[in-house]
Structure formats: structure tokens, C-alpha cells
Amino acid sequence: MTTVVKIGSSSLTRADGYLDLNRIDEVSRLLARAQKGGEDIALVSSGAISAGSQPLGRQERPKDLATAQAVAAVGQGLLMYRWNQAMAWQGVIGAQILLSAAEVVSHQQYNNASRALEKLRALGVIPIINENDAVATDEVRFGDNDRLAAIVSHMVRAERLILCTDVDGLYTAHPSDPTARFIPEVRGEQDLAGVQAGNAGSRWGTGGMHTKLLAARVACANGTEVVLTSTDNLGPALRGEPVGTVFRVTGPRRGIKQLWLAYAATVQGRLVLDDGAARAITEGKKSLLAAGITEVEGTFHAGDVVELVDTRGEILAKGVAAYDSAQVEAENTDLGPVVHRDYLAETRY
């Protein structure tokens, strides 16, 4: 089995802002044991910014991108040193892989990264993956390692993604809420009805439960089962014991273009479709024609990614616009497909 494990900043940082070396040692021990037991392991590790904040004397996560990039550049080497040292004590080798969204969206770069990950695993090396924060931009970036972990799961054809956090699973509300109910299994969107998932992350992290739910949706819609649990439960999770919340697979693995369009691309506008166009997109698997568009929201250019929504506002798909927003608003019936099927990815399952 191929498993991707994602560890967040909240699990790797102590209350005083220092890296939790005991945690890194314990996670390394568990991953090494799983690998020696025949499992292919890839690790997605947050923590570069918190690691860099320590020697720079910073007390909180940077608010602006430039400072975050600089602090991450300081911290990434320190973070990797700690991981490599801890894994070496367990008799395994770790290798740093830094990915950016701009690289993954390129078919050639995606294939290159996939081949590198495959070769590392064939050599018995555990890839340690992080977003390349030092060069990422606001416009083209994953933004959180939860979503990166889902993309990596696709790249390595993982059967399982374990998202480790500071709570033991998914609840209908914050676990501190006495009315919160634990959800042991999610088989589809119907099981998430009424779940209140916040965007706020920890002091050092970028994600909250919202980003983890998005990552779970991405992975499950592309053939990977997801376990959401606390880092304390990583050992039982790796052994397949019933811990945390399990998200079942909801769709087959798709191509990287479709994956990127559906879940990673930055949206520049929105097209509202009438009922006929909505059915043509979801049931007929057709391209989007101008006649089916009832409203254009936002300003976008040909080549930008736009959302396709129905009259109730539900997002049906995302795709690459063939025309500028002004051309679409002009209601020119001579236009070809506004979004061609080859450049469209459904988001509803």
C-alpha cells in the first residue's frame, strides 16, 4: 500500500514556538516501521515558517507574503535537518522535495515530479515534501499543505492519505462545543450536512478544518481514501485501526489537468447557467455554449479559469474561458464554446 502522511505545523511546534523534536522523532519511528513493513510512505511536512521564526526571534507567523517567504527560506533547511537526523536514527533515508503550484500545473513538470517520487520510493527513501514557500506567489500557490497532500496523493497513486492534526477527527462543530457530534465515517457530501468547519488555523499554521475537508474531497474524488485524525493516533492509523474519521473514495483517479482545474486553479470569474446548460454540463458531458449563460460575474480574460454555477449558486464545474468576460456579456451567439469540454472539470459528485 502507498500512503501519504501529512503533518501540520500545530503538531510540530511547541507552545514556545520551538520545533517539537520529540514529535519529529516519534513520527519518524512510526514511518520507518511502516516502511520496513512493506508500505510505501511519502511525508508532507509543514513547519518551515515556524522553524525559521525561532532563530529570527519572531513570535508569530508573518502576515505578508515576502516575509513569509524569507522566514520559510531560513526554516526549511533546519526542518529538513531535523527530519533527516530523526529518520537516520531509525535506519531510513529522507529526501527533500519542494513543490510549487506553478510546477504541478505543467504536465511535463508534473510527470518529472512523479518520476522523482517513484524513484525515491523504489530506492527505499522517504520523500519529505513541502510547498516551495520561498518562491510561491499569491496568485499561484497551494496555500496550505492539506491541499498539497491531496495533490501528492494523486502523483504517487496513493491508496490512503492520513491527515494528522490536533483533534482526533471530524466533528459537527468545534470539539469544545458540548453539542458537537463526532463523525466516524464520510461516504459523501450528505454526511457533511451541518458540519461547521472553520478556516482559522493554529498560531503557526495556515489551515483549519475547512482546508482538511477540501483536501479530503480532492483525494476521495480521485481514488484515495482519507483518514483524518490526531498526530497521537498516527501509529494506529498506519496499522489500519479504526481511529479518527474515514473519508471513503467517491470517484476514480483523474488526469492532472482535470484535478488542477477542479481543485487548485485560481478562479477569476463566474458564469451562471440555466437549467438546460447545467444538465448539458453534468449529465450530457458537453461543452458550455453562450446561449446557456444567464449571468457573467467578475472580469476575466480568455485563458482564465472560471466557475460554472447553476441558478442556485451551486458550483458544478470549473473551466478555462475561451473568451473575455466582455465578449460573453455581449451575448454574441456566433461565439464557439465558451468553455470547451476538454478544458472543463466537474466539481460535483
Side-chain angles (χ1 to χ4, degrees):
M1 176 181 287
T2 299
T3 297
V4 175
V5 175
K6 185 266 178 178
I7 306 288
S9 295
S10 62
S11 297
L12 296 177
T13 308
R14 300 186 328 204
D16 59 7
Y18 288 75
L19 279 176
D20 189 339
L21 302 185
N22 290 331
R23 176 75 80 182
I24 290 176
D25 288 344
E26 176 62 12
V27 170
S28 296
R29 183 184 68 81
L30 293 171
L31 297 182
R33 185 173 66 185
Q35 188 204 53
K36 292 174 182 178
E39 193 154 356
D40 282 334
I41 296 291
L43 171 65
V44 177
S45 172
S46 301
I49 288 179
S50 57
S53 294
Q54 175 189 330
L56 293 174
R58 299 186 62 88
Q59 300 300 312
E60 61 180 16
R61 185 181 179 89
K63 298 294 193 297
D64 63 286
L65 179 62
T67 304
Q69 289 174 321
V71 176
V74 173
Q76 186 63 41
L78 177 59
L79 179 66
M80 278 302 306
Y81 170 74
R82 298 302 189 189
W83 277 120
N84 280 326
Q85 184 182 53
M87 288 187 179
W89 289 337
Q90 301 299 328
V92 297
I93 300 172
Q96 175 178 260
I97 298 287
L98 293 176
L99 294 176
S100 70
E103 293 165 346
V104 172
V105 72
S106 162
H107 183 71
Q108 181 177 356
Q109 294 284 8
Y110 174 87
N111 286 336
N112 289 342
S114 295
R115 283 194 294 268
L117 288 166
E118 181 179 356
K119 180 57 69 174
L120 286 170
R121 287 156 50 228
L123 292 171
V125 176
I126 294 180
I128 305 170
I129 304 151
N130 196 356
E131 180 164 13
N132 195 353
D133 288 313
V135 299
T137 67
D138 277 329
E139 290 77 18
V140 186
R141 67 195 313 262
F142 294 106
D144 62 81
N145 275 341
D146 295 314
R147 184 160 56 167
L148 173 59
I151 302 295
V152 169
S153 297
H154 185 278
M155 297 177 78
V156 302
R157 296 184 172 274
E159 288 87 5
R160 180 174 60 172
L161 167 61
I162 302 176
L163 294 174
C164 293
T165 183
D166 50 6
V167 295
D168 61 350
L170 178 65
Y171 288 79
T172 53
H174 193 280
S176 62
D177 187 333
T179 67
R181 178 176 54 84
F182 178 72
I183 302 176
E185 184 181 47
V186 175
R187 292 188 172 273
E189 289 297 317
Q190 70 278 0
D191 296 327
L192 296 173
V195 172
Q196 301 173 29
N199 288 302
S202 69
R203 177 184 173 194
W204 295 104
T206 57
M209 191 56 68
H210 175 77
T211 68
K212 290 166 181 58
L213 288 181
L214 174 60
R217 288 184 174 102
V218 173
C220 291
N222 289 277
T224 300
E225 187 171 277
V226 177
V227 178
L228 172 65
T229 191
S230 67
T231 309
D232 290 337
N233 283 333
L234 176 58
L238 284 167
R239 294 192 294 270
E241 297 178 16
V243 294
T245 300
V246 178
F247 294 78
R248 303 300 183 185
V249 171
T250 58
R253 197 176 306 277
R254 294 188 287 179
I256 184 58
K257 182 196 298 182
Q258 300 299 311
L259 180 74
W260 174 257
L261 283 174
Y263 301 108
T266 301
V267 173
Q268 301 296 337
R270 171 178 283 202
L271 302 176
V272 181
L273 315 186
D274 62 26
D275 291 343
R279 285 193 299 272
I281 293 297
T282 58
E283 299 174 16
K285 310 302 179 186
K286 304 293 186 180
S287 299
L288 174 63
L289 303 179
I293 300 172
T294 63
E295 188 176 351
V296 178
E297 299 178 4
T299 300
F300 55 86
H301 303 286
D304 286 344
V305 175
V306 294
E307 290 178 337
L308 312 183
V309 305
D310 61 19
T311 54
R312 296 174 297 279
E314 181 180 359
I315 301 174
L316 305 176
K318 296 178 185 178
V320 179
Y323 303 97
D324 296 348
S325 52
Q327 293 175 281
V328 180
E329 285 183 305
E331 299 182 1
N332 184 349
T333 57
D334 293 331
L335 295 178
V338 175
V339 178
H340 194 278
R341 188 70 200 183
D342 290 344
Y343 298 95
L344 183 152
E346 291 183 54
T347 56
R348 188 179 67 176
Y349 288 90

